[in-house]
């Protein structure tokens, strides 16, 4: 059995919401919940991500596969395209057209993430585990136990935006 074949990560994007960061204006944050079954050891992760984080993750993942597993590069799913909404629409994100856009993107991003795990070797990559807020493979808990990680990462994303949408000083 190849490395990574028995590591399965599933995720749900349970929430997508528009927030005001102050510095960057209105952005959409996605709450990503992940469950990893790593050879019988179960871990959970939680993180808050912007579309920019998904794009950076996709670029990094493609670079790793291009260098280490070029024959599998074509197996990676395509990141849904970023479609821009004018700032005034994001400001009114609760209106139906913007809400539909946000929900469609949430669904597309969730589908994208769930297509990564079946690609051989993907589940073993530290890059993938970090994105999902999961423990490193070496820190996995024993079979039957459930570990939860990433809760602090969910409180603030990489851009310093907390769940309430207030920008943090960097």
């Amino acid at each position: 059995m190849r490395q990574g074949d028995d590591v399965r990560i599933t995720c749900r994007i349970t929430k997508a919401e528009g927030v005001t960061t102050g510095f960057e204006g209105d952005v959409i944050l996605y709450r990503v919940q992940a469950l990893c079954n790593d050879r019988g050891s179960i871990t959970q992760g939680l993180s808050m991500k912007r579309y920019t984080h998904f794009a950076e993750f996709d670029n990094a993942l493609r670079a790793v596969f291009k260098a280490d597993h070029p024959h599998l590069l074509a197996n990676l799913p395509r990141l849904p395209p970023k479609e821009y909404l004018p700032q005034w629409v994001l400001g009114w994100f609760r209106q139906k057209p913007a809400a539909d856009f946000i929900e469609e993107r949430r669904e597309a991003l969730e589908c994208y993430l769930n297509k990564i795990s079946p690609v051989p070797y993907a589940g073993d990559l530290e890059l993938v585990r970090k994105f999902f807020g999961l423990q490193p493979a070496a820190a996995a808990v024993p079979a039957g136990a459930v570990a939860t990680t990433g809760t602090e990462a969910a409180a603030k994303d990489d851009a310093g935006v907390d769940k309430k949408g207030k920008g943090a000083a960097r």
Side-chain angles (χ1 to χ4, degrees), residues 97-113:
D100 288 347
F101 168 82
I102 292 170
E103 178 57 19
E104 286 172 14
R105 183 188 278 173
R106 184 202 66 77
E107 289 174 358
L109 289 172
E110 183 176 280
C111 182
Y112 162 78
L113 291 176

Side-chain angles (χ1 to χ4, degrees), residues 143-154:
V146 176
T148 302
T149 62
T151 53
E152 290 179 15

Side-chain angles (χ1 to χ4, degrees), residues 17-21 24-29 50 87 90 157 161:
E17 61 183 332
V19 296
T20 301
T21 64
E24 296 174 319
D26 295 333
V27 297
I28 302 171
L29 287 178
R50 294 176 49 185
Q87 286 297 315
L90 280 177
D157 72 0
V161 178

Side-chain angles (χ1 to χ4, degrees), residues 27-104:
V27 297
I28 302 171
L29 287 178
Y30 302 91
R31 181 184 174 116
V32 180
Q33 292 182 321
L35 183 66
C36 178
N37 183 341
D38 184 354
R39 299 162 188 89
S41 177
I42 307 295
T43 56
Q44 296 176 2
L46 177 64
S47 59
M48 296 295 286
K49 304 290 183 188
R50 294 176 49 185
Y51 182 90
T52 303
H53 299 132
F54 285 89
E56 291 167 354
F57 169 71
D58 185 71
N59 288 335
L61 187 62
R62 289 183 185 288
V64 168
F65 269 81
K66 185 177 181 180
D68 298 341
H69 309 290
H71 61 288
L72 295 173
L73 191 57
N75 293 2
L76 291 176
R78 290 278 167 212
L79 180 67
K82 181 169 187 172
E83 297 175 22
Y84 293 93
L85 283 177
Q87 286 297 315
W88 66 270
V89 174
L90 280 177
W92 298 96
F93 72 90
R94 294 193 190 279
Q95 291 183 354
K96 187 154 179 59
D100 288 347
F101 168 82
I102 292 170
E103 178 57 19
E104 286 172 14

Side-chain angles (χ1 to χ4, degrees), residues 122-142:
D124 286 317
L125 295 175
E126 183 63 28
L127 167 72
V128 173
R129 290 177 179 270
K130 183 177 178 184
F131 183 82
F132 285 113
L134 296 166
Q135 292 179 348
V141 295

